[in-house]
Amino acid sequence: GLYFAPFFVGVAEVSSVPLSFMDLFKVNKGLKDEFKTADEIVPALFAVLFLALRVIYWPFVAFEFSEDVLASGAGAPMQIATHGLNIGLLLLQWFW
């Protein structure tokens, strides 16, 4: 259980690093020209990391999180809120 927060707010964000470089190359033509190979590789790296972490792995972590919440014995309002937010975040990953 304790790895859920680091996953949801840390590990999953690893895919944002290449995205930042994509934006940097987009607004800075000098960097884009100087690092042509990186500019070509970064979009593919972003896609692979995004798909692996947010589309494929995220649902497994979300499911395990839901199982732990159900087993916790938390009250109905907490269960409803937690599962609702969990499903919402999962759908958001797939929507992006």
Side-chain angles (χ1 to χ4, degrees):
L2 294 178
Y3 75 95
F4 294 119
F7 174 79
F8 289 129
V9 297
V11 174
E13 293 300 323
V14 168
S15 65
S16 297
V17 173
L19 186 61
S20 297
F21 280 100
M22 286 171 54
D23 288 341
L24 182 64
F25 290 141
K26 184 194 264 183
V27 299
N28 192 321
K29 180 139 173 56
L31 278 176
K32 183 175 185 167
D33 292 341
E34 189 173 340
F35 298 101
K36 286 183 187 258
T37 303
D39 182 50
E40 294 171 1
I41 292 171
V42 163
L45 181 59
F46 166 71
V48 167
L49 287 172
F50 186 88
L51 291 172
L53 293 173
R54 294 181 178 246
V55 176
I56 297 170
Y57 189 49
W58 186 292
F60 291 101
V61 177
F63 181 77
E64 188 176 341
F65 176 69
S66 287
E67 286 184 322
D68 282 4
V69 170
L70 283 172
S72 73
M78 180 61 80
Q79 293 279 342
I80 292 167
T82 303
H83 293 300
L85 290 169
N86 193 20
I87 291 168
L89 286 172
L90 173 63
L91 294 175
L92 187 61
Q93 302 313 305
W94 289 346
F95 176 74
W96 276 334

